[in-house]
Amino acid sequence: MWKQTDNKLYKSFQFKDFITAFSFMTKVALLAEKSNHHPTWTNTYNKVEIWLSTHDAGDIVTDKDKLLAEEIDAVV
């Protein structure tokens, strides 16, 4: 479940290992590049954390973020 806090959408994902987490990140990177909407994220071993906000709209949550969040959920 994505949580909206501090004008960002946030979600944490946990995978079985680093390779699976990195594969997920690669899929998300392709989605982000296609929509020209890039997340802030971190990865530590099998955990990926993502924050979404629209920078050119003043770092607030917009429909762009909600759409990317839905697309990210679809690749899990």
Side-chain angles (χ1 to χ4, degrees):
M1 190 110 219
W2 288 88
K3 294 181 182 179
Q4 186 168 341
T5 182
D6 297 327
N7 290 322
K8 292 175 178 50
L9 289 180
Y10 168 81
K11 190 169 183 179
S12 177
F13 299 85
Q14 190 159 339
F15 301 93
K16 68 177 184 167
D17 55 28
F18 176 75
I19 293 297
T20 308
F22 195 86
S23 174
F24 167 75
M25 291 177 70
T26 301
K27 292 173 188 173
V28 172
L30 293 171
L31 289 172
E33 189 63 20
K34 182 179 176 183
S35 65
N36 194 31
H37 190 57
H38 304 92
T40 299
W41 57 7
T42 63
N43 166 240
T44 304
Y45 182 57
N46 67 337
K47 184 177 181 182
V48 177
E49 293 180 276
I50 300 177
W51 294 265
L52 299 174
S53 65
T54 304
H55 307 296
D56 59 356
D59 286 324
I60 62 170
V61 175
T62 67
D63 289 340
K64 268 180 120 170
D65 305 296
K66 294 173 185 174
L67 178 60
L68 185 55
E70 288 175 11
E71 291 175 339
I72 290 170
D73 284 342
V75 300
V76 174

